[in-house]
């Protein structure tokens, strides 16, 4: 796996995949996609970077420990149910708002926050597993 | 993409229209609080923040939320919240009645005690490897299982608490623990699979997973065609295995003595009782007719569980193994109530469940303190602990009275009600087994007390001589452990001396389980069914 071609291409590939994973995450509510599949794509991006350049650079680039990201995701997902309290509807009821930003209508909602939470849980958990396995492989 | 049309869909008639008070959030708070705190613990795992204090805050909030919920349910009857506002049976409901709220509150109190105890015992390494996140998420699973009104959701909460418990039981990973974990994990997964199979069959038969809806379909005018009896038996098998009933009890004594003492205490206090609760909810509320047919079988299982439990306890030398068998014996006592099935008996089961949660957790914590003092888990190897800590000896004595079912403790009332209800229906032999197992429990637990506290020293010390080695306890551990153990002991004593509140709550819970019309009403409330 240590070819020059792979090591040169890996950073671009990783960046591209992370961007694509965010695209997949955001289109998820009404189209195929969403937090889970987006998270898997992002996790495989980090795994590819780890295979090409070693695990230490990935950990440095991520800054946070993957499990911390997963915890953040869980926190966000649980928090996404709370705004319903203030709207007087049951827990986890989808609340939507459609603000216009620069003439474009944005669909912001609590399901989206929940989905972003799922995204982080999947990224964190799968990356943690993948990096640990790669580390073992390296040593 | 969410275009212009996305918010023009007509949603009338598919969503719950009933208005919601902020107080209704108490229904879901016992799940949300532990999840939020678990996530926080996970994020701050490597930081040198005070994890114990955070856990105490989290569990304190959980106690308040479940207490508020219990109050509300006792005041207004069962309450329901359906997530995401989709009408049941499509939306997932949390339906809480007195039985569920009572057990959720008790488990929250024990978890708070556990958090206080953990503050003094959990090492930085254990915090790093996720003791607190596992603890919090296990509590989310336990609370969720007590509160949910959807049978597949019950399965999910079982999974949540099971996976968290795997993490807790293996933490430390010495050889004995890995051995115990394998047995625990494998056999619990078998039980969970059976639970899932039964749920699949039930869904195939009725096309619904909401418990209120299942009840309506099973008790409706239309005759149900399908293997109802098979499903009911499968559920009984799955939950009996989780509750550790004979002959599926062998995973419990093989694993509960291996992890940290606190983890054993939490498992013994909470997890097997979730199995008992699920049995009550499913066998009693959903499959009432089938339970009646199985009653004699359940009675045999109960009697054998009680006897195997105490006989096993008599044969052990290690304190935690004795306690593990006593947990099993207690499960048998509760199953006896399920077999009898009258309202008094079920009230007795609930009283006994609350009592058993408190006492078993407290006994395991006491065993932890004893092991620290004497440096051994073997009861014959310790001795003379009375001199080391008269308070501990006193607390253990009260707990021993309680677990044997002697007055003036909470254990007495549970057994009293159960024996009374057994005699009422003429099941004198079951009453006899309950009393016999009580007698043998007394022998088993006082054997521990005499060996560990009363004797002058470890095995081999000549009569009249005093030769013990006592390890000093840390200041912090002494404070936290005696606080936790003291409060739990006072609770069992208090419930024994003033049982009226508990008895009336349990009677209310039993009525709700046997005649669930108000439960059904609350699940479909606001839709005019």
């Amino acid at each position: 796996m240590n070819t020059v071609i792979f090591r040169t291409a890996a950073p671009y590939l990783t960046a591209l995949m992370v961007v694509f994973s965010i695209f997949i995450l955001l289109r998820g509510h009404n189209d195929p996609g969403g937090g889970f599949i987006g998270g898997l794509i992002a996790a495989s991006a980090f795994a590819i970077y780890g295979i090409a350049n070693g695990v230490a650079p990935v950990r440095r680039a991520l800054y946070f420990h993957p499990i911390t990201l997963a915890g953040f995701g869980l926190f966000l997902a649980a928090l996404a149910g709370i705004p319903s309290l203030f709207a007087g509807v049951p827990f986890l009821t989808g609340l939507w708002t459609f603000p216009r930003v620069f003439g474009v209508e944005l669909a912001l909602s609590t399901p989206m926050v929940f989905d972003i939470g799922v995204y982080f849980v999947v990224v964190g958990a799968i990356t943690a597993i993948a990096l640990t396995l790669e580390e073992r492989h390296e040593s | 993409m969410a275009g212009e049309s996305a918010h023009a869909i007509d949603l009338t008639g598919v969503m719950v229209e009933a208005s919601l008070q902020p107080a209704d959030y108490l229904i879901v708070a016992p799940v949300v609080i532990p999840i939020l705190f678990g996530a926080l613990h996970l994020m701050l795992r490597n930081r040198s923040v005070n994890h114990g204090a955070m856990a105490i805050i989290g569990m304190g909030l959980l106690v308040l939320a479940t207490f508020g919920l219990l109050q509300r349910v006792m005041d207004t009857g069962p309450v329901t919240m359906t997530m995401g506002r989709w009408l049941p049976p499509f939306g997932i409901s949390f339906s809480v009645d007195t039985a569920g709220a009572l057990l959720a509150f008790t488990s929250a109190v024990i978890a708070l005690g556990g958090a206080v105890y953990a503050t003094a015992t959990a090492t930085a390494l254990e915090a790093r490897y996720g003791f607190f996140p596992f603890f919090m998420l296990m509590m989310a699973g336990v609370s969720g299982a007590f509160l949910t009104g959807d049978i597949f959701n019950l399965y999910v909460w079982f999974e949540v608490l099971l996976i968290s418990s795997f993490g807790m039981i293996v933490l430390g990973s010495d050889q004995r623990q890995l051995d115990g974990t394998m047995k625990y994990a494998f056999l619990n997964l078998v039980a969970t699979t059976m639970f899932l199979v039964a749920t699949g069959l039930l869904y195939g038969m009725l096309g619904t997973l909401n418990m209120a809806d299942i009840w309506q379909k099973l008790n409706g005018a239309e005759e149900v065609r399908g293997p109802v009896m098979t499903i009911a038996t499968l559920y009984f098998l799955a939950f009996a295995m989780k509750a550790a009933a004979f002959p599926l009890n062998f995973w419990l004594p093989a694993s509960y003595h291996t992890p940290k003492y606190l983890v054993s205490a939490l498992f013994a206090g909470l997890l097997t009782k979730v199995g008992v609760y699920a049995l009550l909810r499913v066998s009693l509320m959903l499959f009432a007719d089938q339970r009646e047919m199985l009653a004699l079988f359940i009675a045999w299982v109960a009697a054998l569980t009680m006897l195997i439990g105490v006989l096993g306890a008599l044969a052990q030398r290690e304190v935690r193994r004795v306690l593990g068998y006593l947990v099993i014996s207690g499960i048998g006592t509760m199953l006896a109530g399920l077999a009898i099935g009258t309202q008094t008996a079920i009230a007795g089961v609930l009283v006994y469940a609350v009592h058993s949660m408190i006492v078993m957790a407290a006994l395991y914590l006491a065993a932890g303190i004893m092991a620290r003092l004497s440096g051994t888990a073997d009861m014959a190897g310790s001795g003379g602990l009375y001199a080391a800590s008269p308070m501990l000896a006193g607390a253990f004595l009260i707990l021993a009275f309680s677990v044997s079912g002697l007055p003036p403790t909470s254990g007495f009332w549970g057994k009293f009600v159960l024996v009374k209800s057994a005699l009422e229906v003429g099941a004198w032999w079951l009453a006899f087994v309950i009393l016999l197992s009580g007698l043998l429990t007394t022998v088993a637990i006082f054997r521990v007390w005499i060996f560990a506290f009363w004797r002058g020293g470890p095995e081999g010390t000549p009569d009249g001589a005093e030769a013990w080695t006592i390890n000093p306890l840390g200041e912090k551990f002494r404070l936290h452990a005696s606080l936790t153990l003291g409060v739990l002991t006072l609770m069992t004593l208090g419930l024994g001396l003033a049982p009226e509140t508990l008895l009336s709550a349990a009677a209310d819970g039993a009525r709700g389980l046997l005649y669930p019309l108000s439960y059904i009403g609350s699940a479909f409330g606001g839709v005019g069914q």
Side-chain angles (χ1 to χ4, degrees), chain B residues 163-206:
Chain B
I163 289 170
S164 316
S165 73
F166 292 164
M168 285 175 91
I169 199 173
V170 82
L171 211 67
S173 48
D174 65 29
Q175 203 174 355
R176 220 164 74 121
Q177 264 183 306
L178 288 175
D179 179 59
T181 306
M182 277 310 291
K183 291 168 186 159
Y184 176 79
F186 180 74
L187 289 162
N188 269 291
L189 283 177
V190 171
T192 313
T193 310
M194 254 179 294
F195 182 6
L196 188 61
V197 168
T199 307
L201 286 171
L202 184 68
Y203 187 62
M205 188 174 75
L206 298 176

Side-chain angles (χ1 to χ4, degrees), chain A residues 23 26-27 29-31 63-65 67-76 78-79 81-86 88-94 96 98 100 105 107, chain B residues 1-4 6-7 15-16 18-23 25 28 31-32 34-40 42-47 81-86 128 137:
Chain A
F23 166 70
L26 292 177
R27 83 199 282 266
H29 193 74
N30 291 326
D31 291 293
Y63 186 73
F64 292 109
H65 192 279
I67 291 295
T68 307
L69 291 180
F72 173 70
L74 184 61
F75 192 74
L76 205 62
L79 223 51
I82 305 290
S84 322
L85 168 64
F86 303 104
V89 286
F91 189 65
L92 283 174
T93 304
W96 292 79
F98 301 90
R100 285 196 160 269
E105 194 188 64
Chain B
M1 293 273 153
E4 291 290 337
H7 40 116
M15 293 196 123
V16 178
S19 66
L20 193 87
Q21 268 94 53
Y25 261 71
V28 74
V31 173
V32 177
I35 288 184
L36 282 177
F37 273 84
L40 268 179
L42 205 55
M43 280 194 279
L44 300 173
R45 198 167 53 103
N46 287 336
R47 309 282 153 123
M81 178 188 265
T82 304
M83 304 306 140
R85 246 176 103 210
W86 301 103
R128 270 191 71 141
L137 292 175

